[in-house]
Amino acid sequence: MPEPAILVEDAVKRWRSGGEVHELRLPRLEVAPGERVALMGASGSGKTTLLNLVGGLLTPDAGRVVVAGVEVTALGEAARDRFRAEHVGYLFQTFHLLDGYTALENVELGAAFTRRLRRGARERAEALLRRLGLGERLHHPPSRLSIGQQARVALARALVDHPAVLLADEPTGALDEASAAVVLELVLDSAAEVGATVLCATHDPEVAAAFDRTVHLGAAGPPPSRSGS
Amino acid sequence: MVLRNLRRRPLATGLTSVSVALGVALFAAVGALRHAAEHGFQRSAGICDQVVGAKGSPLQLVLSSIYYLGASPGNVSWDLWRELRTWKGVRWAVPVAIGDTHRGYRVVGVSDEFFSRVRLPNGGEGDPLRLAEGRVFDYPPERFEALAAELDAGGDAHLEDHPEVLRAVVGAEAAAGAGLRVGARFAPAHGLEGGAAAERHAEAEVEVVGVLEPTGTPIDRAVFVPVGLYHLLAGHRPTAETATGGARDPRGLSAIYLRTVPGMYQIRIWRRLNDRLDAQSARPVDEVRKLFRLVGGLDLALRAISALVVVVAVAGVVAALTNTMAARRREFAVLRALGARRRTLLGLVTAESAAIAFLGGVLGLVLAGVLAAVASEYVRRNTGVALSVLPRPADLALVGAVTLAGALAGLLPAVRAYRTEPARVLASQL
């Protein structure tokens, strides 16, 4: 078996939210390169927290996280930032596009923080947006795009630097059913195109069904199971 | 990216940088003007080493006799001039009589030596006065006495019969302003603000024989006539009680410009003159320096105020930026998620602050240039002293300092960007 794209071992993370203390315990999670995994679990079970542990925005209280051969838990903050810039693409439920920038510039920002990737970022961003059907909307601000178009821009931003791992947090949560299906397909196809491993938090079983397998988080949930693949 | 962020908030960026610009402009203009003014006044002061005049304030003597500002402290006698010329170490002495005006320009009586001997400082030997057209008058002052005696004797002698003394050489600006070309004739008015026909010396029309090239000194605004002519004109003739030869004697001289051999003689002559009861000697360069030292407190205060304006403006930049920090938390969190380091965000906000300050600094220098140009034109119109207000290296340093201050002050809001916890902010689903 090749080295996993994502490896989480004995991870423990506690956090506070709404006055309650939550805890994520994950004895082991292994995701193969190119594999597409859905994360399910009740709210507060730690889906987003796990994504942030993998992306290096958070560090676990205990345990080990290895992503794309990089031991994230051994890195300092600045090194984790660099690691994230190079290897991780983020896709948020509310997209978090920046208003002061055009669609194209938002996508460019995805490659702005590593010198290696900055060269030709504009061309790549433009090509990617055209491929996603936004060729006519390159210079629009996000506020003037439909929600489906915003989702595409956010996706392009996450993938423009060809990350090893795409972390998606409820990417279809803000969309109606029809566009959700379209966007989900785009996410999976585009990720496959750049060879990105996908870790996607969702509460929707139908969404989860489109992935190679689903990991359930939370003590009450069933143990990790394999489906498909 | 920094510029893009600034353009997103054109109003805030514009207002804050303009406020910085105002402070910088004030600061730079005050500095530049003071520098240029001192330089310009010193240049004018350099036409002679010493000015001899009646006892009184040396500053008043210098202002009235070199810059034609204000009233003269009184008169000295012709005898003093005659005596001075014989002193050892005196290179030349030019008698000066000031009192009349023509259309707002001072009519100054000088001897013909004024044109041949005076040098304007230029760092080296000095520039002589040059004629733009015409010639200078060359009626030696000595001959006036005989003429005066003849006129006083009454009989058929009239001033009009002596056109060779009714001559004028005009400074460049006076020539342009009063329309005094070569060949023009005019009757000078008695007194400072004269001008009414009755007060004119109707008996004597003076003919312009020469126009001087511009010098950037009060000379440009003067109309020069032979010094002896003054005493032939009505209003300058002595009456029984003033014909004493003292400071009130209208036949006296307002001042004597003196050039001495440098070194020991200079000091000796200065002391000797100041020991007298009927005269004093002032060194124009010293008096101007003293004047500017006096005014120095004022411009220091002005500079302090403008520095304060800059500080307040920079604080305004910080306040404006800080106000946006809360709204930009999400932006910072997203940038972190995209791989921006904390330090990058710190740099971003700091650079925004510095950029606004820089913009304000540059804008301020431009504004200062305009301000200084207006002010120096005002000075030139009123004194004839030309100020060359040029950008100085200090101005560039000022922009640098303001930019640095902007950057340093920007650290305050920048720290808030630095502290953004992306996981928390992004989770709050704004």
Side-chain angles (χ1 to χ4, degrees):
Chain A
M1 177 170 178
E3 196 181 356
I6 302 171
L7 173 66
V8 181
E9 279 181 331
D10 304 320
V12 179
K13 178 73 180 173
R14 280 181 212 87
W15 71 99
R16 235 169 228 289
S17 166
E20 274 178 78
V21 178
H22 299 269
E23 188 184 65
L24 170 73
R25 272 183 185 280
L26 194 62
R28 189 169 183 85
L29 170 69
E30 219 177 292
V31 182
E35 195 181 7
R36 296 162 316 173
V37 175
L39 284 176
M40 288 197 72
S43 68
S45 63
K47 301 189 294 290
T48 301
T49 302
L50 179 56
L51 292 182
N52 285 336
L53 290 177
V54 172
L57 276 179
L58 293 176
T59 49
D61 300 329
R64 213 161 75 94
V65 177
V66 182
V67 176
V70 178
E71 178 141 11
V72 183
T73 37
L75 299 176
E77 188 175 62
R80 271 185 281 127
D81 291 331
R82 197 175 317 126
F83 148 79
R84 188 163 54 251
E86 292 208 6
H87 299 296
V88 178
Y90 258 101
L91 182 57
F92 307 100
Q93 175 177 3
T94 46
F95 313 130
H96 288 314
L97 296 176
L98 298 183
D99 285 332
Y101 302 80
T102 65
L104 182 60
E105 286 164 342
N106 262 284
V107 177
E108 271 183 83
L109 277 179
F113 299 103
T114 33
R115 193 158 296 146
R116 182 172 61 75
L117 295 170
R118 223 159 17 205
R119 180 162 300 146
R122 173 161 286 252
E123 290 69 33
R124 275 182 287 131
E126 202 175 319
L128 189 50
L129 280 172
R130 286 189 194 287
R131 207 140 35 121
L132 290 170
L134 289 173
E136 308 292 307
R137 298 277 188 281
L138 294 178
H139 303 294
H140 287 221
S143 54
R144 286 182 49 207
L145 298 176
S146 75
I147 195 124
Q149 288 167 337
Q150 289 180 34
R152 281 166 231 238
V153 174
L155 177 64
R157 183 177 66 185
L159 292 179
V160 67
D161 51 353
H162 293 195
V165 173
L166 173 65
L167 301 174
D169 194 354
E170 307 271 12
T172 59
L175 305 173
D176 61 65
E177 231 172 280
S179 43
V182 175
V183 167
L184 182 61
E185 198 181 323
L186 271 177
V187 169
L188 293 172
D189 289 354
S190 308
E193 234 168 274
V194 302
T197 305
V198 182
L199 197 56
C200 175
T202 181
H203 61 272
D204 184 345
E206 274 184 52
V207 170
F211 285 76
D212 298 336
R213 68 181 162 110
T214 301
V215 172
H216 289 271
L217 294 179
S225 68
R226 280 184 176 266
S227 69
S229 105
Chain B
M1 204 159 159
V2 170
L3 294 180
R4 164 150 299 274
N5 283 335
L6 295 182
R7 251 182 296 153
R8 266 161 63 191
R9 300 183 301 274
L11 190 68
T13 304
L15 286 178
T16 46
S17 56
V18 163
S19 66
V20 173
L22 289 178
V24 169
L26 204 59
F27 193 86
V30 170
L33 273 175
R34 190 232 147 105
H35 183 81
E38 187 158 1
H39 199 262
F41 273 80
Q42 284 295 12
R43 183 176 139 82
S44 307
I47 62 171
C48 58
D49 300 331
Q50 297 180 36
V51 180
V52 183
K55 280 271 186 234
S57 145
L59 178 60
Q60 187 191 357
L61 174 61
V62 167
L63 287 178
S64 66
S65 62
I66 305 263
Y67 303 98
Y68 317 130
L69 292 171
S72 145
N75 284 348
V76 289
S77 67
W78 275 97
D79 289 338
L80 179 60
W81 173 68
R82 283 189 202 97
E83 188 189 332
L84 263 176
R85 302 181 82 191
T86 67
W87 284 15
K88 218 173 166 190
V90 171
R91 277 190 175 159
W92 51 258
V94 168
V96 181
I98 305 168
D100 290 358
T101 56
H102 176 64
R103 293 204 186 173
Y105 297 101
R106 265 312 174 77
V107 176
V108 180
V110 290
S111 66
D112 46 351
E113 268 190 312
F114 178 77
F115 303 106
S116 57
R117 306 301 289 269
V118 158
R119 296 285 180 274
L120 292 167
N122 70 350
E125 280 289 284
D127 297 321
L129 296 178
R130 292 191 186 86
L131 281 162
E133 54 175 326
R135 56 190 173 81
V136 299
F137 49 76
D138 52 4
Y139 198 79
E142 295 86 342
R143 283 170 61 188
F144 276 92
E145 254 169 290
L147 183 57
E150 192 185 327
L151 291 173
D152 283 343
D156 290 339
H158 289 285
L159 194 52
E160 301 94 282
D161 301 330
H162 297 274
E164 72 277 11
V165 304
L166 296 168
R167 304 284 197 227
V169 172
V170 186
E173 203 193 322
L180 296 175
R181 307 283 309 271
V182 168
R185 288 169 177 281
F186 69 97
H190 185 56
L192 260 181
E193 300 300 328
E199 284 181 88
R200 289 177 188 272
H201 299 293
E203 82 276 23
E205 278 219 324
V206 178
E207 183 191 348
V208 176
V209 295
V211 174
L212 295 170
E213 280 189 356
T215 62
T217 70
I219 290 171
D220 294 350
R221 293 180 53 82
V223 175
F224 296 99
V225 298
V227 61
L229 177 60
Y230 251 89
H231 309 104
L232 302 177
L233 297 174
H236 297 292
R237 307 295 288 275
T239 60
E241 78 238 43
T242 58
T244 57
R248 302 284 308 274
D249 189 331
R251 287 174 307 178
L253 296 169
S254 305
I256 302 166
Y257 295 158
L258 207 60
R259 177 75 79 193
T260 58
V261 175
M264 191 183 65
Y265 279 115
Q266 209 163 0
I267 298 155
R268 192 176 290 168
I269 289 167
W270 185 76
R271 287 223 185 100
R272 200 166 149 198
L273 281 164
N274 283 313
D275 283 345
R276 294 174 71 118
L277 294 173
D278 63 343
Q280 65 162 332
S281 174
R283 284 184 289 226
V285 172
D286 287 352
E287 292 307 318
V288 169
R289 192 176 302 135
K290 275 190 232 161
L291 174 65
F292 274 91
R293 206 174 299 149
L294 212 67
V295 180
L298 185 69
D299 78 46
L300 204 67
L302 263 175
R303 298 199 90 176
I305 291 169
S306 42
L308 213 62
V309 173
V310 174
V311 169
V312 170
V314 169
V317 172
V318 173
L321 273 176
T322 306
N323 279 338
T324 66
M325 284 301 115
R328 292 174 68 188
R329 274 172 71 223
R330 190 179 68 100
E331 173 187 340
F332 296 135
V334 170
L335 293 178
R336 289 295 308 283
L338 294 175
R341 285 183 235 176
R342 283 184 194 274
R343 263 186 297 155
T344 309
L345 299 186
L346 190 77
L348 183 70
V349 176
T350 307
E352 282 176 29
S353 177
I356 292 176
F358 176 77
L359 203 70
V362 171
L363 209 65
L365 283 197
V366 173
L367 211 61
V370 174
L371 221 68
V374 170
S376 61
E377 176 58 21
Y378 178 84
V379 169
R380 200 187 58 79
R381 266 170 200 258
N382 285 281
T383 67
V385 175
L387 310 184
S388 64
V389 188
L390 295 168
R392 297 178 301 154
D395 292 338
L396 299 180
L398 181 62
V399 173
V402 168
T403 308
L404 191 68
L408 286 178
L411 282 173
L412 231 66
V415 163
R416 293 181 60 172
Y418 182 87
R419 287 212 184 120
T420 305
E421 288 303 335
R424 189 173 296 272
V425 174
L426 292 172
S428 61
Q429 303 286 340
L430 284 168

